[in-house]
Amino acid sequence: MTRTGDVLCLPLAAGAIASSAWYAANAAPGDRYEAGLILGLATALTVALLRRFTTLPLGRRRPYTFALPLPAPDWRAPLPDPRGDPEALRAHAEERAALLSDASALGGSLRDTCSLTPPLRTELMSFATTASIQASNSVIPPVFEGPQSPDPAYDAAHALGELVAVVEFSRIGMRALEALVTERPLRPDPPCYFNPLHTRGHARVAPPVVLEGAVEVAACDACAREPAPLLVPSAAGPVPYYESDAVDVRWRLLGYGAVVPDNGATMIATARDGIRPGAKRQRTKVS
């Protein structure tokens, strides 16, 4: 509310409290208890409305805290290399997807309270919701649906690619919720293109494959010096995930968000809408 609105609210609040006080003072002796109760309720309600809808300093406002079920993981810490085995990564991915799902309700409670502009609040909440849905869906092992292949290596590579997506979407969703809590806009924080399970990609290097419209990708400091790609199984042996047709083409094209230096918006849009028609694909090897 504006400063003028705050000033206009004060006489109205004072009038409401004064009316209740006058009623309590002039109540009959047998009605004193009820009159005092009305005065207390009117005063408490008036103060609560002033604190909720004005910027008047009526007592200390309790700060919002960002709490997760314990023990919470270190979201920025690198994960162990699964070495082609999706089950080695599944527990980590499931934990992060569950934590994001539990924390997503926090975004709804902050939608109307933080000081960010309404469009930015809506965007951040959309990020958190979409990331949570995508993470929850991707962590489910394909049993009756998914790639139908007699090649176990193909299915293992596909599952590994989906679990890596869970880890990255969980990071995007948690960063969106943190932005709502801290009331700060979301900043770019891309993964390492070579291995999204490494530390974040603060360096920019030439991509190892031909990517239409991209001359640089994000890489962690170690991979910027000597690339150590995430390897997934194939019939011919382990290959980098970005050279495997078993990994979802959406994640390969984006490098899980390392190709486009944005704040996660491209991954969120791709999860919702898929690859736009006419988008050119990178050259990949057939696993």
Side-chain angles (χ1 to χ4, degrees):
M1 185 176 292
T2 64
R3 180 67 63 181
T4 302
D6 292 346
V7 174
L8 292 177
C9 284
L10 282 177
L12 295 177
I17 296 176
S19 299
S20 301
W22 179 87
Y23 174 75
N26 293 276
D31 298 332
R32 292 288 174 83
Y33 175 79
E34 290 81 0
L37 183 62
I38 292 175
L39 174 60
L41 291 175
T43 302
L45 179 60
T46 302
V47 172
L49 291 174
L50 288 174
R51 292 190 63 186
R52 176 63 180 85
F53 295 105
T54 71
T55 59
L56 298 173
L58 299 174
R60 178 179 296 180
R61 295 174 183 264
R62 296 179 60 186
Y64 294 106
T65 57
F66 185 61
L68 289 175
L70 298 177
D74 183 355
W75 295 87
R76 294 182 177 273
L79 292 177
D81 189 345
R83 300 185 182 278
D85 180 12
E87 297 310 312
L89 185 61
R90 186 172 299 281
H92 299 280
E94 289 176 344
E95 177 190 34
R96 282 157 173 73
L99 284 170
L100 176 58
S101 178
D102 292 341
S104 291
L106 179 64
S109 66
L110 296 176
R111 181 190 295 272
D112 300 318
T113 57
C114 71
S115 63
L116 297 176
T117 61
L120 184 54
R121 277 181 274 164
T122 301
E123 181 185 46
L124 291 174
M125 191 57 216
S126 175
F127 277 26
T129 302
T130 303
S132 180
I133 294 173
Q134 183 64 47
S136 299
N137 290 341
S138 297
V139 83
I140 302 174
V143 180
F144 301 107
E145 299 180 358
Q148 302 295 325
S149 169
D151 183 4
Y154 184 98
D155 292 334
H158 177 82
L160 188 55
E162 290 300 297
L163 293 175
V164 173
V166 171
V167 172
E168 189 56 35
F169 275 110
S170 297
R171 283 174 172 152
I172 293 173
M174 293 304 298
R175 286 172 51 233
L177 292 176
E178 287 177 346
L180 281 170
V181 171
T182 59
E183 300 184 347
R184 298 174 182 173
L186 203 58
R187 295 181 178 180
D189 187 31
C192 173
Y193 178 87
F194 297 93
N195 190 333
L197 302 179
H198 286 173
T199 54
R200 309 308 286 169
H202 298 302
R204 303 291 296 182
V205 299
V209 294
V210 176
L211 296 171
E212 295 290 344
V215 296
E216 288 184 333
V217 294
C220 67
D221 293 336
C223 285
R225 296 189 299 267
E226 183 177 355
L230 172 68
L231 301 178
V232 299
S234 75
V239 297
Y241 80 90
Y242 44 77
E243 295 182 353
S244 171
D245 286 342
V247 177
D248 193 310
V249 66
R250 296 174 296 173
W251 319 142
R252 285 190 285 118
L253 281 172
L254 297 177
Y256 293 97
V259 173
V260 181
D262 61 21
N263 58 10
T266 303
M267 283 287 284
I268 294 296
T270 301
R272 286 198 299 249
D273 307 325
I275 300 295
R276 290 179 297 177
K280 297 183 179 179
R281 302 176 60 177
Q282 68 187 62
R283 299 177 188 172
T284 58
K285 296 180 181 179
V286 177
S287 58

